[in-house]
Amino acid sequence: MKIVMLDGYTTDEGDLSWRELASLGEFTYYERTTADEVVARAKDADILLSNKVILSKEVLSQLDGLKYIGLLSTGFNVVDLQYAKQRGIPVCNVPNYSTKSVAQLTIALLLEIVMGVGKHAQSVKDGQWSQCRDFCYRAQDIVELDGKTIGLIGYGAIAEDVAKIATALGMNVIAYKRTPVDESLAEMTSLDGLYERSDVISMHCPLNSQSQNMIDAAAISKMKDGVIIINTARGGVIDEKAVRDSLDSGKIKGYGADVLSSEPPSSDNPLIGAKNCYITPHIAWASREARSRLMNIATENVRCFLSGKIKNCVY
C-alpha cells in the first residue's frame, strides 16, 4: 500500500517520529502541500493523510486508486464527505487527542486576562519595577475568579474539563448545549440565560450554520458589562468586528482566542492589535503529549483499515 502524508509538519516539527506509520506501507512524507501540488503528489496513493490540505470533489475525482483518507485532526471539513462516501472511501479522524491541552489553554487565556502575567512580567523587564517608588504596582486591574460565573457554550469533553478546572478555582459553572445533558459540574441553562448570567463565556461548540457568527452584536448586548470571552473552538463562531467594537467600548473586558476566522489571518483582521485582546496562533492542540496521541491514533486508524476494521470513520 502506498501511503502519502500531505502536510505533516505542524504535527511533527522534528521532535516526534512517523516510524510506526511508515512501517505499514510504502510511505511518502511531505511537510507541506499547496493546492496546486495535491493531485500530482497523491495520484498513486492508496492511503492519503491530510491535516489542512483541502480534499475537494475536484481533487478526489482525479485520484482513481484512493482507498482511504486519514485526517490528522478531529475536524473533517477539509474533505468532501459526500463524494468520499459515494466513492466508498472511508474518512477517519482523530477524536479526543487534545482535550486536556485545549482545556489547559482555555484557562491560561482566562488567567492572562484577569492577572496580566505577561504584561506585568514585560513591565518588569522594561525597568518599571526598578523605577517604582513603592514595593509593588499594577499594570492592569486584577480580578479574582472565585465566585464568578463561567458559561460554557457547547458541552463536550473539552468543556467538561474546563468545568473541572473552573470549579477548582471556585467558579460557578453554567452551560448551554442544544441537547441538554444531566451534568453535576455544570448547571444547564438557555443561551440567553447564559449570556445574562456569565462573567466569563467560553466557546466549545462546533462551527456550523447554526453557530456561525453566533457571538454578534445582538448576543453581546445581552451580556454583562465587562464580560470576558474565551474562544478555543473555531474562529467563525465569533463576529470579529462586533467583538472588536465591544472591546473598544469596554462592553467586553477581555477577549482571548486561539482561533480566528481565517488562518493564518490577514493583516487587517479586526482583532489583530485590538486592546485587551489576546490571540495565540492555534496552539491549543500542539502540546507534545497531544501531538504524540494524534500520531498514535492516526497510525492505529490506518492499521485498523488495513486489517479490515474501520475505526473513527466520520460518516
Side-chain angles (χ1 to χ4, degrees), residues 129-207:
W129 200 7
S130 299
Q131 300 165 16
C132 187
R133 296 176 59 187
D134 304 300
F135 77 95
C136 75
Y137 64 92
R138 292 178 296 281
Q140 66 167 60
D141 290 339
I142 296 172
V143 177
E144 186 174 273
L145 292 174
D146 183 70
K148 301 292 190 300
T149 295
I150 183 170
L152 309 175
I153 297 181
Y155 199 77
I158 294 170
E160 186 173 359
D161 270 12
V162 171
K164 292 175 184 176
I165 302 170
T167 299
L169 291 170
M171 301 186 76
N172 305 310
V173 183
I174 62 177
Y176 166 77
K177 187 177 182 180
R178 284 197 299 166
T179 306
V181 296
D182 182 13
E183 173 53 54
S184 59
L185 281 178
E187 174 196 340
M188 291 293 153
T189 186
S190 67
L191 190 56
D192 281 350
L194 185 145
Y195 290 155
E196 294 166 3
R197 295 170 56 190
S198 298
D199 301 293
V200 178
I201 293 175
S202 188
M203 307 302 295
H204 299 284
C205 55
L207 177 61

Side-chain angles (χ1 to χ4, degrees), residues 9-314:
Y9 180 74
T10 53
T11 303
D12 172 29
E13 298 181 6
D15 57 340
L16 299 171
S17 172
W18 294 106
R19 188 180 300 110
E20 286 296 316
L21 179 63
S23 71
L24 299 177
E26 181 184 330
F27 184 60
T28 302
Y29 172 85
Y30 297 102
E31 288 188 344
R32 302 173 181 87
T33 296
T34 67
D36 293 337
E37 296 170 329
V38 178
V39 173
R41 290 182 171 184
K43 63 180 179 180
D44 295 324
D46 299 293
I47 293 171
L48 192 61
L49 291 103
S50 170
N51 189 328
K52 292 294 183 286
V53 176
I54 302 298
L55 301 176
S56 63
K57 178 180 179 179
E58 180 183 0
V59 169
L60 295 176
S61 65
Q62 299 178 68
L63 307 179
D64 295 336
L66 189 61
K67 300 176 178 65
Y68 172 92
I69 297 171
L71 297 171
L72 304 179
S73 62
T74 301
F76 40 84
N77 58 302
V78 299
V79 182
D80 187 325
L81 290 184
Q82 183 176 355
Y83 182 72
K85 185 176 182 179
Q86 179 184 326
R87 283 268 306 274
I89 303 170
V91 179
C92 299
N93 73 338
V94 182
N96 302 324
Y97 72 94
S98 61
T99 298
K100 302 296 182 184
S101 293
V102 177
Q104 180 174 290
L105 183 64
T106 299
I107 298 299
L109 287 167
L110 174 57
L111 291 174
E112 179 59 37
I113 290 170
V114 300
M115 296 299 299
V117 173
K119 183 183 293 184
H120 284 94
Q122 186 61 49
S123 74
V124 172
K125 286 183 180 181
D126 292 342
Q128 292 185 37
W129 200 7
S130 299
Q131 300 165 16
C132 187
R133 296 176 59 187
D134 304 300
F135 77 95
C136 75
Y137 64 92
R138 292 178 296 281
Q140 66 167 60
D141 290 339
I142 296 172
V143 177
E144 186 174 273
L145 292 174
D146 183 70
K148 301 292 190 300
T149 295
I150 183 170
L152 309 175
I153 297 181
Y155 199 77
I158 294 170
E160 186 173 359
D161 270 12
V162 171
K164 292 175 184 176
I165 302 170
T167 299
L169 291 170
M171 301 186 76
N172 305 310
V173 183
I174 62 177
Y176 166 77
K177 187 177 182 180
R178 284 197 299 166
T179 306
V181 296
D182 182 13
E183 173 53 54
S184 59
L185 281 178
E187 174 196 340
M188 291 293 153
T189 186
S190 67
L191 190 56
D192 281 350
L194 185 145
Y195 290 155
E196 294 166 3
R197 295 170 56 190
S198 298
D199 301 293
V200 178
I201 293 175
S202 188
M203 307 302 295
H204 299 284
C205 55
L207 177 61
N208 52 40
S209 58
Q210 288 76 41
S211 63
Q212 180 78 41
N213 287 335
M214 69 180 298
I215 302 300
D216 57 8
I220 293 168
S221 70
K222 300 174 183 178
M223 299 176 189
K224 291 183 177 182
D225 292 344
V227 67
I228 294 169
I229 300 176
I230 308 294
N231 184 14
T232 53
R234 288 290 183 267
V237 303
I238 299 290
D239 180 332
E240 292 171 335
K241 185 180 184 304
V243 170
R244 170 67 183 255
D245 291 344
S246 297
L247 286 165
D248 288 344
S249 71
K251 174 69 175 183
I252 298 176
K253 179 181 180 64
Y255 180 70
D258 189 49
V259 288
L260 290 173
S261 58
S262 178
E263 298 173 352
S266 62
S267 59
D268 61 352
N269 182 290
L271 293 176
I272 302 297
K275 71 176 183 179
N276 299 326
C277 184
Y278 301 80
I279 307 291
T280 51
H282 208 135
I283 58 169
W285 69 284
S287 68
R288 192 179 193 281
E289 294 83 356
R291 289 183 293 110
S292 180
R293 279 192 293 272
L294 185 156
M295 292 175 72
N296 290 339
I297 296 170
T299 300
E300 181 63 17
N301 284 349
V302 173
R303 185 179 287 111
C304 287
F305 166 72
L306 292 173
S307 66
K309 301 175 182 177
I310 304 298
K311 186 177 182 180
N312 294 319
C313 187
V314 297

